[in-house]
Amino acid sequence: MIFMATQPPKTPKTPVKPQTPAFKPEDGRGSDSVVLERLPQKTKPPQMYQVVLLNDDYTPMEFVVVVIQEFFNKDRETATGIMLKIHLDGKGVCGVFSKDVAATKVDQVTEAARKNGHPLQCVSEPIEL
Ligand code: TYC
């Protein structure tokens, strides 16, 4: 059986207490708050390049030592050690730089060598991880 309402619903005499929100807006957790989601980091460190000098039979040792001191900011003892390593092993790392800086070092060393009439070879190589 179905019953129909004969009267409209009664309004309560005492006003209904408004519901307390779970969080106050001042908490930063109210309905207007924004949630910032931290995304996983996507950036990789940049590829770095080692600048390498190659041995040859003609460039004077002293010139190579001065080049390593001047362009790679090494003290005389360190520069001499690197030069001797190149002389004995055929090549040696003078420094590690970002791509642009490494390319500039190669250009500067090559220009200084040619100006002084030496065949010194300088190259940059990406460092494998
Ligand atoms: N082998 C050269 C010599 O005996 C010296 C030298 C060292 C040249 C390092 C180039 O990158 C070099 N005079």
Side-chain angles (χ1 to χ4, degrees), residues 21-36:
F23 305 109
K24 292 180 189 152
E26 311 88 82
D27 292 339
R29 297 182 290 180
S31 56
D32 290 338
S33 64
V34 174
V35 176
L36 298 178

Side-chain angles (χ1 to χ4, degrees), residues 72-119:
F72 300 99
N73 304 316
K74 305 296 188 199
D75 60 41
R76 182 143 183 106
E77 203 184 328
T78 304
T80 302
I82 295 171
M83 182 280 295
L84 284 174
K85 192 228 175 264
I86 301 165
H87 179 71
L88 295 172
D89 298 351
K91 62 191 252 183
V93 177
C94 295
V96 172
F97 308 96
S98 65
K99 190 174 189 174
D100 288 1
V101 174
T104 301
K105 297 282 179 195
V106 169
D107 290 348
Q108 289 172 333
V109 169
T110 305
E111 187 186 341
R114 298 302 169 269
K115 264 190 187 159
N116 288 276
H118 303 310

Side-chain angles (χ1 to χ4, degrees), residues 53-61 64 83 86-87 120-121:
L53 284 181
L54 306 180
N55 189 36
D56 66 70
D57 293 337
Y58 306 101
T59 305
M61 288 184 174
V64 178
M83 182 280 295
I86 301 165
H87 179 71
L120 180 62
Q121 297 283 316

